[in-house]
Amino acid sequence: YSLSTYSYVTLKIYDILGNEILTLVDEHQQPGFYKTEFDTNNISGVNRLASGVYIYILNAGRNIKLRKMILMK
């Protein structure tokens, strides 16, 4: 993702039922390009993420992006 201005950013993963699974980013960030990866086999509190549909929400200042993603193992 990219930021055009200094913003408080959160990037969260939810299951299809709307339960929050993981917070990947929760901090203020400078303008620029960012890349975030996560290991689905090593998430604290969750044994392993199963294959399926998940939703991520990227919130940066006034901008919110909600997208579906498919995890295939």
Side-chain angles (χ1 to χ4, degrees):
Y1 59 94
S2 65
L3 300 174
S4 59
T5 60
Y6 180 77
S7 303
Y8 181 74
V9 178
T10 60
L11 177 56
K12 296 183 179 191
I13 308 293
Y14 296 86
D15 65 16
I16 199 68
L17 299 174
N19 299 311
E20 184 178 329
I21 302 296
L22 180 66
T23 299
L24 296 173
V25 178
D26 187 15
E27 63 187 12
H28 286 92
Q29 293 183 331
Q30 297 291 332
F33 294 93
Y34 294 88
K35 181 179 176 181
T36 302
E37 297 180 13
F38 68 101
D39 182 0
T40 61
N41 294 320
N42 191 17
I43 298 174
S44 63
V46 178
N47 290 334
R48 289 185 179 192
L49 287 183
S51 295
V53 178
Y54 294 87
I55 297 167
Y56 70 87
I57 299 176
L58 175 63
N59 187 342
R62 295 182 185 157
N63 300 310
I64 298 173
K65 299 266 185 183
L66 181 144
R67 300 285 188 266
K68 286 192 275 185
M69 64 179 177
I70 298 174
L71 175 62
M72 296 188 311
K73 292 188 175 189

